[in-house]
Amino acid sequence: MAFITTAEACDSNVPLLASGDLRVLPPIFKVYGNSRAFSGPIATLKVFEDNVLVRELLETEGEGRVLVVDGGGSMRCALVGGNLGQLAQTMGWAGILVNGCVRDVDEINGCDIGVRALGSHPTKSSKKGVGEKHVAVHIGGTLICDGEWLYADSDGILISKCELSL
């Protein structure tokens, strides 16, 4: 698949934007990771201040997918750190979007994946294993479903019901 910029995708898919089949996330996420632009089918996760399920999902073959973690927007601990960033790279994930925080920013920035998060926090999360995999999540007022597509670059983040082409 040829890389599609988010601006091109918006310009070329006005009907999808109008119908809601293509959605733009609000510009609330900071850029981390060595891949500034990334895309892929979405795997969703809903957790709160607990990253056990994040690790479990990242331990599976990524196959170019993007992990979307709805951490409830918590700014009290990190859900992804350097070890998980390296694991995601090793397992073939294209990227991670965290509605919450990351830590070990310098380590994450050395990984060849894309990461977006609300910010960074030095405290690690709890380890209870509570959460849900492959469920619809709401992030930034946008519904995101497992199996949809995420496109991210320096201009923003798009969520599409299907793979886009120009």
Side-chain angles (χ1 to χ4, degrees):
M1 175 183 90
F3 180 73
I4 300 170
T5 68
T6 58
E8 287 176 308
C10 289
D11 292 350
S12 300
N13 293 285
V14 173
L16 293 178
L17 283 167
S19 71
D21 288 344
L22 179 62
R23 285 108 52 214
V24 181
L25 291 184
I28 57 176
F29 296 96
K30 295 182 180 177
V31 177
Y32 303 98
N34 202 23
S35 295
R36 298 298 186 198
F38 60 97
S39 63
I42 294 170
T44 59
L45 190 55
K46 186 172 186 163
V47 298
F48 188 72
E49 298 181 359
D50 183 334
N51 77 346
V52 170
L53 297 182
V54 175
R55 175 175 287 281
E56 283 181 12
L57 211 45
L58 291 175
E59 286 174 339
T60 66
E61 290 295 329
E63 300 172 334
R65 291 180 293 165
V66 176
L67 179 59
V68 173
V69 181
D70 181 2
S74 173
M75 302 296 280
R76 299 187 303 197
C77 66
L79 293 173
V80 174
N83 290 338
L84 293 184
Q86 184 60 51
L87 178 62
Q89 175 185 314
T90 300
M91 296 304 291
W93 290 83
I96 305 169
L97 171 71
V98 183
N99 185 26
C101 292
V102 297
R103 70 183 208 160
D104 306 323
V105 169
D106 292 336
E107 291 176 38
I108 289 174
N109 286 341
C111 294
D112 286 327
I113 60 166
V115 177
R116 300 292 188 274
L118 297 177
S120 61
H121 197 288
T123 305
K124 64 183 176 182
S125 71
S126 67
K127 309 284 188 236
K128 296 177 184 170
V130 177
E132 299 174 89
K133 295 178 185 177
H134 309 297
V135 296
V137 296
H138 283 88
I139 296 177
T142 302
L143 178 67
I144 302 173
C145 297
D146 199 74
E148 292 187 313
W149 281 73
L150 183 144
Y151 297 84
D153 63 14
S154 298
D155 287 330
I157 303 169
L158 304 177
I159 306 296
S160 176
K161 288 199 180 283
C162 60
E163 184 176 6
L164 299 176
S165 60
L166 293 181

